[in-house]
Amino acid sequence: MQIMNKIEHDDLINKIFAEFKKADKSKYTSLFISSLSSKNMNWRSGLSVFAIMQSFPNHNFTVGEYTGINDELFEKMSIEDKQFVKARIPCKFCSEYKSIKPDFEFAKEAFNKVGGLLGADLLCYYYFLSETNKIENVKPCNEDFRIFSEILTILTNADPNETVKKTIFLQIKKIKGFKSNSEQLKALLETLGFCSILETEKQKGLLNEYINLAVAPRKTHSSDWNYPVDFWLGKDGINKQAFRFWFEEYKELEQFWK
């Protein structure tokens, strides 16, 4: 990872999309599945951002209306006032600031030890994509498919009003050969949400429509789960169309999209 003193929002967006252009869906899904028995969290992490990038807008830094400054008012400002605003107000598309301190320690920790996102910042998006692109592809083994199938079966058989946060969570943790701590399992389920596999009728994942995860709704004020899986209930089941989009090449999993 190249060390930088400071990076501008628009430059980082360009870097993110350059890495996304290099990314291969088959490799990302293959690494994700292969992580289940190996517990290589760096194999699992990339899919979370790759899923978000399906609808993430390629944009320049834009002052958001939620700050109280709309586009028309902003354009009437002097150059000095515009610079002042941009330095202190986040982008309306991604909630990132115009100038960013390139500290990758947080992203590195999440990538290597959690297997998914802990935040919704551009540095994490760039780090996850660039590091996953460097990893040699790995093919899933039978044990990986067994574990993933058991996870999906638990989700599809859940009681209608059950969330992923209690009984389902504990059931998945007990799957033989699946060694993940609570933070890692939470990140895995949130990744399935980003992929639109675990979503609700109203709270969609990011496969087809973008939502700024930094300001996305939460089911309760105190919830620490990411959108949209925070809202998921057993009655929502698995989005079979989305699941097929991601995992169609693996015939071992076809029962979950048919």
Side-chain angles (χ1 to χ4, degrees):
M1 179 63 61
Q2 182 180 3
I3 298 176
M4 299 163 280
N5 293 325
K6 184 179 72 171
I7 186 167
E8 296 298 311
H9 170 283
D10 295 357
D11 292 336
L12 187 51
I13 289 290
N14 290 336
K15 289 178 179 292
I16 289 170
F17 274 90
E19 292 297 332
F20 180 52
K21 188 176 180 179
K22 300 176 191 175
D24 176 69
K25 184 179 77 170
S26 178
K27 173 183 172 180
Y28 276 61
T29 56
S30 183
L31 287 170
F32 178 83
I33 299 172
S34 299
S35 75
L36 299 176
S37 67
S38 67
K39 203 184 176 183
N40 286 322
M41 292 300 116
N42 58 331
W43 292 359
R44 189 180 301 173
S45 294
L47 185 59
S48 60
V49 175
F50 190 84
I52 292 169
M53 292 303 296
Q54 300 303 305
S55 58
F56 187 78
N58 192 344
H59 64 282
N60 293 324
F61 181 89
T62 307
V63 175
E65 290 189 12
Y66 63 88
T67 64
I69 303 174
N70 59 36
D71 293 340
E72 183 179 355
L73 177 59
F74 182 74
E75 288 306 315
K76 292 179 180 179
M77 290 182 174
S78 67
I79 294 176
E80 292 78 9
D81 286 343
K82 286 181 180 179
Q83 290 175 340
F84 179 86
V85 167
K86 285 184 175 182
R88 291 160 176 80
I89 293 179
C91 173
K92 76 174 182 180
F93 292 109
C94 64
S95 297
E96 193 62 82
Y97 289 97
K98 188 174 187 296
S99 294
I100 303 157
K101 180 182 178 182
D103 183 356
F104 289 99
E105 288 306 310
F106 180 75
K108 184 177 180 180
E109 180 85 4
F111 184 82
N112 289 310
K113 296 185 178 181
V114 179
L117 288 168
L118 292 176
D121 60 89
L122 297 186
L123 287 173
C124 283
Y125 293 179
Y126 173 59
Y127 188 90
F128 278 37
L129 291 173
S130 61
E131 292 302 304
T132 304
N133 286 341
K134 297 174 187 175
I135 299 173
E136 185 176 348
N137 197 7
V138 179
K139 295 298 182 183
C141 65
N142 290 335
E143 184 76 349
D144 295 313
F145 288 119
R146 178 191 64 79
I147 293 171
F148 200 20
S149 295
E150 290 192 31
I151 292 173
L152 295 165
T153 298
I154 290 171
L155 291 166
T156 55
N157 292 339
D159 290 338
N161 292 317
E162 198 170 328
T163 73
V164 294
K165 305 168 189 178
K166 294 182 179 179
T167 304
I168 292 175
F169 197 86
L170 294 175
Q171 288 176 339
I172 293 175
K173 287 193 74 173
K174 293 179 181 178
I175 293 174
K176 182 180 178 181
F178 179 57
K179 298 179 181 179
S180 283
N181 62 34
S182 295
E183 189 175 43
Q184 292 162 351
L185 175 53
K186 177 173 172 286
L188 185 151
L189 294 170
E190 289 176 337
T191 295
L192 295 181
F194 301 151
C195 288
S196 295
I197 293 168
L198 297 181
E199 62 177 14
T200 76
E201 184 177 347
K202 292 183 178 180
Q203 291 86 23
K204 300 294 184 182
L206 288 99
L207 180 56
N208 297 308
E209 52 188 79
Y210 174 69
I211 184 166
N212 182 357
L213 292 173
V215 294
R218 294 183 181 274
K219 192 171 185 178
T220 65
H221 179 72
S222 60
S223 177
D224 62 350
W225 283 75
N226 269 315
Y227 179 98
V229 76
D230 190 22
F231 292 88
W232 186 89
L233 295 173
K235 64 183 180 181
D236 297 307
I238 287 175
N239 182 331
K240 293 183 177 181
Q241 185 177 1
F243 187 85
R244 185 168 188 171
F245 171 82
W246 291 108
F247 299 108
E248 184 174 17
E249 69 179 277
Y250 309 104
K251 297 306 179 184
E252 297 87 346
L253 301 170
E254 66 180 346
Q255 62 176 303
F256 297 105
W257 71 70
K258 283 191 171 181

